[in-house]
Amino acid sequence: MYEFTVLDFDGTLFKTETIAIPVYKKVFTFFKEKGIYKGDIPTEKEIKSVMGMTVQDIANKFMRVIRNEEQKLIRDMILYEELNLIKKGYGELYDNVKEILYVLNKSGFKLYIASNGISKYVKSICDFMGILKMFDNIYTSYDYNFSNKIDLVNFIIREEKLENKKGIMVGDRESDIAAGEMNNLYTVGCLYGYGNYNELTRANVLIKDFKEILNIIK
């Protein structure tokens, strides 16, 4: 029987495009007008394509020719604008996420987030969405200085003393499935997120709705 689950955030729990698309367009337009950013304004398709990537991977895609200090300025503004939208009531969880997390939490099932994002971003959104207290802990690659999800999940397992417990890894990108595989977790690929079917073919099981998690745990 499974005792814990490690969950990706963007594309698994949170519909990131509901705030990322307007924010990225606003921020990159602002810095383009200031002459700091000289590339094209990212399209909706391009923005969706980076959802779930590490902060550095996103920077490499959109800000390759920008100096590090200016990259940080752009990242800080993106974070500020995203949190501002959340406070105004924008942003959505995927269907059934809140309800299923509540059921799992109340049953004593251990819940952890492993995100490539920034801790302040993930925790703030969880707080505003009313799900923060349902998690035993939240870990992010950015704040723990990991370059990939495999090492982050391994760190979570060691830090939370889960080595001898059976767990599952839930995510929408190939990196989530790889992280689960390399850490001996049962892998669940979310077809409703940002990854495509080909990215998730190695998962032990694929789901189209978050509520299907209950069938796996049972």
Side-chain angles (χ1 to χ4, degrees), residues 118-130:
I118 297 171
S119 178
K120 185 177 180 180
Y121 160 83
V122 176
K123 290 181 178 179
S124 295
I125 292 175
C126 287
D127 190 21
F128 283 112
M129 294 293 171

Side-chain angles (χ1 to χ4, degrees), residues 75-90:
R75 290 199 303 268
D76 288 347
M77 187 171 176
I78 288 174
L79 178 60
Y80 173 83
E81 293 291 344
E82 285 176 332
L83 297 182
N84 192 40
L85 281 187
I86 288 294
K87 291 175 183 177
K88 291 180 178 179
Y90 291 85

Side-chain angles (χ1 to χ4, degrees), residues 30 32 58 77 118 160:
F30 174 81
K32 188 177 180 71
I58 294 172
M77 187 171 176
I118 297 171
E160 298 291 338

Side-chain angles (χ1 to χ4, degrees), residues 13-55:
L13 303 178
F14 184 62
K15 291 183 181 180
T16 316
E17 78 270 18
T18 55
I19 61 170
I21 289 174
V23 165
Y24 273 59
K25 288 188 174 182
K26 177 180 179 179
V27 171
F28 279 100
T29 298
F30 174 81
F31 282 101
K32 188 177 180 71
E33 290 172 351
K34 295 293 183 182
I36 294 174
Y37 177 73
K38 295 178 171 58
D40 295 327
I41 304 303
T43 64
E44 290 191 11
K45 183 177 181 180
E46 287 173 330
I47 294 168
K48 284 185 177 181
S49 74
V50 302
M51 296 297 95
M53 289 185 178
T54 64
V55 172

Side-chain angles (χ1 to χ4, degrees), residues 164-192:
N164 298 316
K165 299 181 184 298
K166 289 184 66 178
I168 65 176
M169 176 75 210
V170 184
D172 69 308
R173 304 303 298 254
E174 191 277 335
S175 59
D176 299 311
I177 305 308
E181 284 180 336
M182 296 303 292
N183 287 289
N184 300 311
L185 303 180
Y186 186 82
T187 54
V188 180
C190 302
L191 291 172
Y192 56 79

